[in-house]
Amino acid sequence: EKANIEIERSNISNSKIAITAKDSASLKIKYFIPKNFEICAAVYRKKIEFGGGILEIPKKSCNKNATIVQRNSNLIEK
């Protein structure tokens, strides 16, 4: 909740959701390699008292069909 995190490098495997940002949190990952997941990235609001999340990942890290982006949340691919 309301976290602001930057991660230089992340290798995530064998996970239902590889990476998520929620409840007014901002997460930026510079190097991201997800493997063996159901959902690559999810950005949403879980608790009503917060806003949506912001997630920034490298381009082509996730297939659009494997992402969840709730209204008022942002998935940025750079």
Side-chain angles (χ1 to χ4, degrees):
E1 300 162 349
K2 295 186 179 182
N4 186 6
I5 300 169
E6 288 190 31
I7 297 173
E8 187 69 33
R9 184 179 183 94
S10 178
N11 295 313
I12 298 171
S13 59
N14 303 318
S15 177
K16 182 170 178 126
I17 300 175
I19 196 76
T20 189
K22 64 181 180 68
D23 295 339
S24 299
S26 176
L27 174 57
K28 180 179 181 179
I29 303 176
K30 292 182 180 180
Y31 184 79
F32 175 55
I33 300 177
K35 295 178 183 172
N36 195 22
F37 54 83
E38 289 182 34
I39 299 167
C40 184
V43 193
Y44 58 95
R45 179 185 78 181
K46 183 176 178 182
K47 296 180 180 176
I48 197 159
E49 62 267 27
F50 297 102
I54 300 170
L55 176 59
E56 184 177 321
I57 59 176
K59 279 188 179 181
K60 300 182 182 177
S61 295
C62 294
N63 181 315
K64 293 283 184 195
N65 295 329
T67 62
I68 296 172
V69 182
Q70 186 182 50
R71 186 178 56 186
N72 297 322
S73 294
N74 292 305
L75 176 60
I76 303 161
E77 296 180 280
K78 287 189 174 182

